[in-house]
Amino acid sequence: MRFRQVHLDFHTSEAIPGIGSRFSKEQFQAMLRKGHVDSITIFSKCHHGWAYHPSEANERHPALDFDLLGEMIEAAHEIDVKTPVYISAGLDEKLARRHPEWLFRDKEERTTWAKNFMQPGYHEFCLNTPYLDVLLKQIEEVTLSYDADGIFLDIVGVRKCYCQYCVASLRREGKDPRNEADVQALGEQTYARYTSAVKELVHGIKPDMPIFHNGGHIRRGRRDLAGMNTHLELESLPTGGWGYDHFPLSARYAQTLGMPFLGMTGKFHTSWGEFGGYKHPNALRYETALSIANGARCSIGDQLHPDGLMDEATYELIGQAYREVEEKEPWCKDSVGVADVALLSLEAAGVANISAGQVGFTGISDAGAVRMLLEGKILFDVIDLEADFSAYKVIILPDEVLLGDALSASLKRYVAGGGKVLATGRSGLNVDGSGFGLDFGVKWIGENPYLPDYFRPGFGLNSLGGAAYICYGQGQQVELLDGGTSLGRRENPYFNRDVFTFCSHQHTPSSREDGGPGMAQGSDGIYIAWNMFEDYGTKGSLMLKETVLYALNRLLEGEGTGGGGGGKTLETSLPAQGIVTLQKQPDEGRYINHLLYATPVKRGNGVEIIEDILPVYDTKVTLRLPEEAKAVYLAPQQTAIPFEQQDGTLTYTLDRLECHQMVVIEIAK
């Protein structure tokens, strides 16, 4: 995979004349050079359904009179730019109006994306219909006829479809279309059959051809779905609905899978389909830096004007980011992440429909946890149930992770080997309702009937004084056991807010009475009796973050009941909005410490924007490394910086950080 890719959208209506009329090989090449682009995804077929080349498997766009795809491939290859080819798999509006019986249908017979044919928009196809054969012929034609460097198939995934083809399939197999589990199983089977057919077809022609099936998100915990691709492309446009929480969460999971992957953002002010919208160059500089800091390659979305002329302002913008990425590539290839802590994502654990927002690309609890870990400068991975738990010092079970037999056994092996667990809310409870499956030093009583209630920490917070702090997340009642250590107590309000019992504008104050432990430690780890991460994801209270970071630091340093520890690999003075990662290049014999700093602000209707990037000075970093450092220097500048290393602890100070800086620690191979 190349590091500096552009994903060039080209969804073009048949009502527009002169398609590709201003395309010029020289101008196309000039823009790719200006943008420092080394790979560009170009179109065979768009959402409207048209081909941009002569086709027997499809129909060429009626306003196009030459082979645009072929000329783009030839022009790009002349300057050593790769050309993966895009085929809209799930959408084909031309064909949708001819064969509406092939479309996806929900239980109410509604279509997606557009609700009906009197609204502007597209309609998604079901791949359990004759449409699949049409699509496979289109893929075969491109693979055979063009020197493509990959196949990118869009708008696909597992669907619960109630079209008459799916209903007939279920009944033929003795299944019940009214049974949601049967419908889900057919959706899984349909998607697997589709990806298998594509792989067999493409690799039967070109065995090494990259293939990626895009559904807008890589589902955590579904390694089988990830494995249907040759590589991963993490679509994550912060301004386009994904936000700045999504990519770190997705990337810290993707890197654990051992597959090549890239981060896909966009040049747009908002999202796909926007003409004339541009980010500030600093936003793209930061977003591409965030990709390489997490072990990913980069992709930036653009959209080609129907006349085929590449937009110079766009490639000036992209070039400002990719010029920096190009200089940094040698320190980013074949890297592996270093992590102390693992977050068992709710999505990966199969948790859904717990509360609003817990399902989807990010999820409230997962987002809240990632924010805390990033702001706390904790080196972390996001894991699923198949991960090697022993690779981490602490595993976080956020808010709603109940323990079935398999997970319980895995965690018991993990803590027996010296690992520790941080659990919040209902996490750590057995699915059968019998209480905790691990020793957190407390006994579960039940869900706390008071909501919200209060937590009075038994330790000092970094930024706040001693108080009873409001907790908006659902709490659990627990009782301290012999051998357990209370780290803070619950204080219930006088009463819940009700028509006959309410106080002031919001909620009732604390009764100041001891309501039992709110946070405790046992031999297996620490338990906090609220949905801390969901609360942080919605309210962002400083107390929540500082409480969780206190617990993690306590476990990592081996304080309190049960020992453990081993220490944090990294500590730094970088402010809260900064991000740090630690990557290792084993073949090169070096660590790369990435430091980033930018502050997104919200504009308009909640669009997150990065404009100004202010420098940060005199950032101190301490690393605990098992190897002896030979040299420490800035990359790509290759400027040596002073460092000290004693008893396995290396310390350096970064004089100035502006957006992104890599600090390289050379070690003996």
Side-chain angles (χ1 to χ4, degrees), residues 591-638:
Y591 290 93
I592 297 88
N593 187 190
H594 294 263
L595 298 95
L596 301 94
Y597 188 83
T599 305
V601 297
K602 289 192 175 181
R603 299 240 179 105
N605 188 19
V607 179
E608 291 185 283
I609 298 296
I610 290 176
E611 183 173 349
D612 298 323
I613 293 183
L614 302 178
V616 178
Y617 296 95
D618 299 325
T619 302
K620 183 178 180 180
V621 177
T622 300
L623 295 167
R624 289 178 178 171
L625 302 175
E627 306 95 340
E628 182 179 351
K630 299 188 297 181
V632 177
Y633 63 90
L634 306 180
Q637 302 96 318
Q638 301 198 51

Side-chain angles (χ1 to χ4, degrees), residues 9 21-22 76 86 117 192 300 335 387 406 408 429 466 505 511 540 542 609:
D9 255 16
S21 58
R22 298 186 67 189
Y86 177 104
F117 282 97
I300 298 174
S335 63
S408 179
L429 294 170
H505 297 293
S511 66
L542 183 59
I609 298 296

Side-chain angles (χ1 to χ4, degrees), residues 280-290 317 320-322 324-325 328 596 613 658-660:
H280 193 284
N282 281 340
L284 280 186
R285 291 177 60 217
Y286 177 78
E287 289 159 17
T288 53
L290 189 62
L317 172 61
Q320 293 187 58
Y322 275 173
E324 295 183 17
V325 173
K328 297 170 182 176
L596 301 94
I613 293 183
E658 191 271 323
C659 188
H660 175 228

Side-chain angles (χ1 to χ4, degrees), residues 448 450-454 470-473 491-493 495-496 507-508:
N448 190 31
Y450 293 98
L451 181 69
D453 56 355
Y454 297 83
I470 188 71
C471 291
Y472 293 98
E491 293 182 5
N492 290 319
F495 40 73
N496 283 328
H507 40 262
T508 310

